[in-house]
Amino acid sequence: MKLGVCYYPEHWPREWWADDAARMADMGLSHVRIGEFAWSRIEPDPGHFDWDWLDEAVETLGAAGLSIVMGTPTATPPKWLVDAHPDILAWDQQGRPRRFGSRRHYCFSSETYRAESARIVSAIATRYGRHPALGAWQIDNEFGCHDTTLSYSPNAARRFREWLAQRHQSVDALNRAWGLVFWSEEFRSFDEVDPPNLTVTEPNPSHRLDYARFASDEVASFSRLQADIIRRLSPGRPITHNFMGFHTSFDHWKLGRDLDFASWDSYPLGNLQEAWFRDDEKLRHLRQGHPDVQAFNHDLYRGVGRGRWWVMEQQPGPVNWARFNPAPVDGMVRAWTWEAFAHGAEAVTYFRWRQAPFAQEQMHAGLNRSDRVEDQGGREARQVAAELKEIGALDPCGRAPVALTMASEAEWHLAIQPQGQGFHWVPLAFEMYAALRRLGLDVDIVGPDGDLAGYRLVVCPSLPILREDTLARLDASGARVLFGPRTGSRTVDGRTPSDLPPGPLQARLPMKVTRAESLRPGGGPTVRIGAATFVSRLWRERIETELAPLATFEDGGPAWVQSGRWNYLAAWPERGLADAVVGRLVADAGLATVPLEEGVRLRTRGGLAFAVNYSDAPRRAPAPDGAHFVLGGPALEPGGVAAWRLG
Amino acid sequence: MKLGVCYYPEHWPREWWADDAARMADMGLSHVRIGEFAWSRIEPDPGHFDWDWLDEAVETLGAAGLSIVMGTPTATPPKWLVDAHPDILAWDQQGRPRRFGSRRHYCFSSETYRAESARIVSAIATRYGRHPALGAWQIDNEFGCHDTTLSYSPNAARRFREWLAQRHQSVDALNRAWGLVFWSEEFRSFDEVDPPNLTVTEPNPSHRLDYARFASDEVASFSRLQADIIRRLSPGRPITHNFMGFHTSFDHWKLGRDLDFASWDSYPLGNLQEAWFRDDEKLRHLRQGHPDVQAFNHDLYRGVGRGRWWVMEQQPGPVNWARFNPAPVDGMVRAWTWEAFAHGAEAVTYFRWRQAPFAQEQMHAGLNRSDRVEDQGGREARQVAAELKEIGALDPCGRAPVALTMASEAEWHLAIQPQGQGFHWVPLAFEMYAALRRLGLDVDIVGPDGDLAGYRLVVCPSLPILREDTLARLDASGARVLFGPRTGSRTVDGRTPSDLPPGPLQARLPMKVTRAESLRPGGGPTVRIGAATFVSRLWRERIETELAPLATFEDGGPAWVQSGRWNYLAAWPERGLADAVVGRLVADAGLATVPLEEGVRLRTRGGLAFAVNYSDAPRRAPAPDGAHFVLGGPALEPGGVAAWRLG
Amino acid sequence: MKLGVCYYPEHWPREWWADDAARMADMGLSHVRIGEFAWSRIEPDPGHFDWDWLDEAVETLGAAGLSIVMGTPTATPPKWLVDAHPDILAWDQQGRPRRFGSRRHYCFSSETYRAESARIVSAIATRYGRHPALGAWQIDNEFGCHDTTLSYSPNAARRFREWLAQRHQSVDALNRAWGLVFWSEEFRSFDEVDPPNLTVTEPNPSHRLDYARFASDEVASFSRLQADIIRRLSPGRPITHNFMGFHTSFDHWKLGRDLDFASWDSYPLGNLQEAWFRDDEKLRHLRQGHPDVQAFNHDLYRGVGRGRWWVMEQQPGPVNWARFNPAPVDGMVRAWTWEAFAHGAEAVTYFRWRQAPFAQEQMHAGLNRSDRVEDQGGREARQVAAELKEIGALDPCGRAPVALTMASEAEWHLAIQPQGQGFHWVPLAFEMYAALRRLGLDVDIVGPDGDLAGYRLVVCPSLPILREDTLARLDASGARVLFGPRTGSRTVDGRTPSDLPPGPLQARLPMKVTRAESLRPGGGPTVRIGAATFVSRLWRERIETELAPLATFEDGGPAWVQSGRWNYLAAWPERGLADAVVGRLVADAGLATVPLEEGVRLRTRGGLAFAVNYSDAPRRAPAPDGAHFVLGGPALEPGGVAAWRLG
């Protein structure tokens, strides 16, 4: 458990570097990320490398005892490179080449750019790969940011056709798989297939689904290209990529397989303001962040990293990029850091060392102000460093009692065919996740091929494409399973199963979804469990089954059916219904829950329980009487953290 | 009065066809629409036709006693055709060629596409035109859908110039007609004229009006091209096109002249969600549909078809294309079907036989589920078929006592120069139409050259371009006439009449509109009739007249003036005002009205009165005591229908 | 003080001209603007001039005693010119050439268009420059209207590079100034720089700031090109341009330097509906206009014109271009006219003489209806003309006691980096301006190099780029100064000052802004002054200072600090807080205020006080007992005006 910081030596006078390094060490930081975005300084002219400054930076930081995370600079190809090879540019959905002038302007499908990326990464890895201060590598930066996973360039079109030929083998198979007989869209050869943009009305959904898969594979192979080079030239140094919160445009699990550990960039206040939450929720958590947003992503990336993960960028104060950019309440940066460690983070890296006095992010806080004075974030990092020393190392997180499954193609399919405005996987899954967390439970988020053994409850918020091997793993796990609406409603090719949804699930849970409807806000449906009635929203399925329902819609139709350990919920649960359904299954599974005051959350790691108060009022830590506190105590101020030994 | 269904044999295994046909017949269906969208199967490669499958489909369906409606497949030119002739593609308003991958991607102004359409239609009509099972033809599918009437392609520019030369004869005449001296927009030759898109600020409104007329004429001539071929090759088979609800981008009346009957695609729940209604209205009618929306379009297309019309696609369950897609309440599919017959439909055709398990519309219900089990819509169609047999044939609708006039150019002009946000013809007309229908009156919707003889009341919701021949027909009819705001405010060229609005109407109704203003929501105006005050909205005209007003604005200015049988309303009436004004004129005309409970509507045909309950509570049918019911009875459940013999 | 009108003789039959001219004179108008937009009539074919009609118009109007303001027609290059030279067209931000068909379709950076503009202006100035009836010139029309200041054409790119080379001298200096090391955006030569559009995410803010400056300079040099020609060919005739209200896309002050007087186009009702005000504010002032909007722009353009200014277009009735277009209450056109004179206008020119019966603006009222009958606006102009005669000439406005500073680059910077949604300079400045005006104070708006001597209070609503010479002028003035939030937060290059904001102000006011946050609606902050609490919004800064604050945020942090005569406000003040802060400083400055009833405003000129009632209820003029009224009296009807001699 260690702290670090993102640093851009090229932004500051060389004279400051040694002092910066000394102050990092003094603050208790042990690693520093550099290099990302620095291509124009490393190779200022085509083929002419300027290693001088980077050598000095590496030496200076290493000399201060800091371990270096080197970022590859491929997110920002310089102007001379783009001018020489315009085919590097991605094309947007409107059919225009995207232009130089910010970042991420490259197309994953540009062979030129793949070659150029290999060239620059090789050069950097050759020079620093075996340097003693070199601790780890970060590939590129935030793949998919600014809507850059999908490109509609001629390069993308060409490689998409190759990808399709590989996947479908024959164009007849493609025509059948996508159902292209519909609207006379059949192709005579793969060469006739285009990217699915600028069509008159919606393109074929299987076309879009395969395009999403293709684009995701392009990201993964681009990343792998770099990882392979680095592994060869920098043996023993682990490789990561910094993912983003709630970002679903490419398959994190697939990309994660080529990484040694996962990391993500956690901006609690910015993420909240830009996400789907209602205005009143955004207001309530304005300066603390949502109590479950960070946790959800921590659990996700712990899964992606197969247990090993970092926060690579941690918000240290106000950011610059959200619609509104409030400042965290004092203490909150520390609280977020501890929440990450409680979820098993190996490291938390603050972004950035010092607020920049120029360019796009000059309103983004750092640990230090741009006038070189330590800022609030720096003071809180210093405090965490001291506390870490006190507490000592903790074991990684153990297996949680509950798993929540996540597959990128679920999100892609639902985004392509929402059927009702606002039907997306993440908010639906989050509703169930938050219900678990409000019960004080630890949760693992598990990918499409993740191991499900040992869980007592597995929640599949919605799994439209329900693959046989997923079912086999669920069979094997013995866990209680809750499936959300639309599970099993599509084949791998994006078609409706011939025996209707939930397709292969019917062998375990005898039921059919014969109809689905989406409802506008205020239009229900309501769901009844015993005497209790819950207002639900957006979605209602008609279920044909002989099972006695555990919950019903207003007309008596089944809303929740159960057969043995298999459960299916035919509605989009809002808080009350989510609490009721999840609560009942948790109880059935014999899991112990912890009563939590509003805004307080709990997480365990390495024999400790951690509690954070996300509310704006004092709360009590949910610790037993006489608990042995290693951090804080029973009284939790707003933004307060406590940790105690588990009995 | 017969029922039918839309069927796509190419979507299903051949082995199913005979069974499908038998089940159609068993359900009581007598016709089946096929062929539309099937180009890629009919001509899989350039010039190579595969008739085999279609021959078999036609034989199989015909053998089951079904009459075939053959759709021409021109809404979906296949990929090979588009690739060979990119000039087929329409260009969108942003100046980009629209791309293959959905439907309706062709430009009406492409000579290539006109030739290719003639070729495919000739081939199909040659093969099936005289087949005994061939009952009727549908040209293309839903002209104008997905905003496809207006194209901004080089082809469209070229043909627009020719159209202008034809219409205006000399460029000087054009310059004068459009008032192009304004902003130095004068042209020196027709070759200098472009389509009115991508201008810096709004283009000349007469330019836009003529472009709308041109585009509408292109649709009509494209349709005529097919009709002419079919008439030659398939004698005696009537030709139709399936129009859409509330769609105004081309002149239905003009296109209708080349058809033998009109038809439209009725999706009560989808149409409601996508139309202009307020959210609370969309919620109130969520699962029943609006009680007047279908009726309005039935009355419209009865007019367009000169008395002969079908519903060509009838919603059978939830659809897939609206923002929200609820399921109809049970019984509603039957009720919608009866509402259509009550308005004079010759046939109602459900869309579609079986829900597709692939492609864009797989969430769109059919009469059967995709697993081949009869669905709710199928059960209701079966019920209607039985009821139809019971009731027997009914005469077509007689002339209604009230006419409402509709001219496409009114909608075009108001959309081009709304002057106040939200001023469109359809919602304004609908307000007046619904007031008539709430009085239990039958209404005819009459086109720009329709016969007005015999009506007791003619409502012209807004007729900015008031042509002399319209006035002549109104003169001749002897009916009371109500003109809505902005009537007579433009010449045929889109200019203000030199004697101010209402232009030529002044000879009948001595008044001038000296000023018009638009008002933001909450800004009134209020209208007073006697002691009653009505809140109106959006629009207020100042009228100079010596007539004593029947209604006044808050400052005493005339809001409603009358001279003999001529009436002019200077405001946009909301429900209360519409009821008051229309109610008074109906009473003056001596028309009998029927008190209706909320949500109940009435329509008469062939000596029967039909009532439908659109509310979500039980209601009473507005039948006299002792009425002879041929369908249902006095008690109307939600979605209930009743019919009784008129005294 | 004189009245005039905009007239387009080319729109009307020659037979009407003499009568029009006679009626103008009879109405009391003394000048008439013609010529703008008439290029296609002046030069109907390339190189062939038709002077005949314009000669006659000039003679006819001159013969009636009217002084002519000749508009150059460069806002509307004709079609033949654009077709011959497509490089004339501007390119929009989406990278597309804008198209002919409305107006302002030219690019300021087109050398071709500069040459063509010089040619047409020379021709017109040669012909009429010394004509006795020629009183003044207007260059082009409404620079920047319809978002036309910024063009992204190849021409603009080329001239931008030249401009950059001039400004930054070396590309290394440019790289440093903009901080292009960030995200590897460094350039190797000026040729590599592009306009800042179509980037993947936000481009460098200094890049955008310089592009805004460049585009503004292009407007100024384009205007100067015409001014130089006119000065040479039309000696003694003053030159103006007609600016717009609340328009900030180019630097009015810079352009104003080349003009002899400023003028602006005042559309109180249209401007209100299109501006940032809340819906309830737009409703409250629906037919009167906002009481401070016209005044703000009057004060601004009096500054831009160095004391000399006109209203060049005055709304005479409903307009056609806002979302909603209400009619002014009767009397309001007169009231607006007097408000302009009270603020020092030399002339008020109504737009337009007669409502056009064709083209884009046919719903825009004139002084006369399109049927040649005098309209309400004409009657009110006639009344003002009579009243002007009565009152006689007034001296120009004297220096006001209070100045408000305005710099275009402040608005540009804040629009580029708002940091919180809705942070713009104009609404912030307007809040402070309105507070001053509610106290009955006269205000001067002063530009970046304006003289500040003699003011008792200077309000700088927000001055992010606080230049040394501004500080020097503030030092010299001795006035109390109020700076709003974000003052001094940027260097000239758009970077954060190395000693943090407010940069150079710290030498006068010892404080640092260490952090800024933006808050969503409902999120505060609240500000406390003594016992009073004010709800503020959107913005909050953390201030490090040893000064005792005059106002504090809820956590005790300083919200308003003062050192001697220097004041800094760290929040965005809404009405209550603005009144409190401004009221206190006004009192401290010893300025006399006048209690005004709601909706009444006061302005003094030439020894007279003018009051206008903008409310919809009768009010009292804030005149002392026994005041000598020269216009109206103590009772002010809605839209009423009164003027009395100052004691």
Side-chain angles (χ1 to χ4, degrees), chain B residues 359-402:
Chain B
Q360 282 90 330
E361 292 179 356
Q362 57 187 302
M363 300 295 279
H364 191 302
L367 295 182
N368 296 276
R369 302 177 347 199
S370 63
D371 64 349
R372 306 180 76 186
V373 173
E374 194 165 293
D375 204 348
Q376 177 66 21
R379 289 188 289 274
E380 297 189 23
R382 192 178 285 278
Q383 179 180 351
V384 176
E387 291 165 348
L388 277 173
K389 217 174 274 177
E390 195 102 344
I391 288 179
L394 295 178
D395 286 341
C397 287
R399 174 144 300 205
V402 183

Side-chain angles (χ1 to χ4, degrees), chain A residues 10-11 37-41 44-46 76 78-80 83 96 98-105 146 148 273 279 282-283 286-287 316-320 323-327 352 357-363 369-371 375-376, chain C residues 94 178-188 192-195 197-205 417 419-421 486 490 494-500 512 514-523 538-540 542 544 554:
Chain A
E10 68 273 24
H11 292 181
F37 306 139
W39 195 329
S40 75
R41 284 293 166 96
D45 287 289
T76 50
K79 188 61 166 31
W80 56 258
D83 282 350
R96 298 172 305 204
R98 303 181 91 161
R99 294 178 61 171
F100 182 90
S102 60
R103 60 177 184 174
R104 303 212 56 72
H105 36 281
H146 319 306
T148 51
Q273 294 302 322
D279 281 356
K282 292 184 178 182
L283 198 52
L286 190 69
R287 285 194 176 95
V319 300
N320 65 302
R323 217 159 291 143
F324 298 99
N325 297 295
R352 50 190 283 160
F358 50 72
Q360 281 90 331
E361 292 179 354
Q362 58 187 301
M363 299 296 278
R369 302 176 349 198
S370 64
D371 65 348
D375 205 349
Q376 177 67 21
Chain C
Q94 301 305 306
W178 292 1
L180 289 173
V181 61
F182 195 84
W183 291 353
S184 268
E185 287 196 48
E186 290 164 307
F187 299 108
R188 298 181 307 150
E192 290 184 348
V193 188
D194 292 322
N197 64 320
L198 291 177
T199 52
V200 174
T201 183
E202 52 167 338
N204 182 290
Q417 289 205 316
Q419 180 67 6
Q421 189 175 289
R486 306 180 75 164
R490 288 294 179 275
R495 304 165 60 108
T496 305
S498 56
D499 56 355
L500 296 193
K512 269 189 205 310
T514 62
R515 170 171 284 192
E517 59 177 331
S518 56
L519 299 161
R520 71 162 39 245
L538 187 56
W539 196 256
R540 191 235 153 121
R542 308 280 167 130
E544 200 177 81
E554 56 257 35

Side-chain angles (χ1 to χ4, degrees), chain A residues 93-95 152 176-188 191-195 197-207 413 417 419-422 486 489-490 494-500 512 514-525 538-540 542 544 554, chain B residues 10-11 37-41 44-46 76-80 83 92 96-105 145-146 148 273 279 282-283 286-287 316-328 330 352 355-363 365-366 369-371 375-377:
Chain A
Q93 202 173 7
Q94 302 305 307
Y152 298 88
R176 277 194 307 273
W178 291 2
L180 290 172
V181 61
F182 195 85
W183 293 352
S184 268
E185 287 196 49
E186 290 164 307
F187 299 109
R188 297 181 308 149
D191 292 342
E192 289 184 350
V193 188
D194 291 321
N197 63 320
L198 291 177
T199 53
V200 174
T201 182
E202 52 166 340
N204 182 290
S206 299
H207 187 172
H413 164 66
Q417 289 204 317
Q419 180 67 5
Q421 189 174 291
R486 306 181 74 164
S489 62
R490 288 295 180 276
R495 303 165 61 108
T496 305
S498 56
D499 55 355
L500 297 192
K512 269 187 204 312
T514 62
R515 172 171 284 192
E517 59 177 331
S518 56
L519 300 161
R520 71 162 38 246
L538 188 55
W539 196 256
R540 191 234 154 124
R542 307 279 166 130
E544 199 176 83
E554 55 256 38
Chain B
E10 68 274 24
H11 292 181
F37 305 140
W39 195 331
S40 74
R41 284 293 166 98
D45 287 290
T76 50
K79 188 61 167 30
W80 56 258
D83 282 350
D92 66 20
R96 297 171 306 204
R98 304 181 90 161
R99 295 180 61 172
F100 182 89
S102 59
R103 59 178 185 175
R104 303 212 56 72
H105 35 280
C145 194
H146 318 307
T148 51
Q273 294 302 322
D279 281 357
K282 292 183 179 183
L283 198 52
L286 190 68
R287 284 193 175 97
V319 300
N320 66 301
W321 45 263
R323 218 159 290 144
F324 298 99
N325 297 294
D330 286 355
R352 50 188 282 163
Q355 186 160 354
F358 49 72
Q360 282 90 330
E361 292 179 356
Q362 57 187 302
M363 300 295 279
R369 302 177 347 199
S370 63
D371 64 349
D375 204 348
Q376 177 66 21

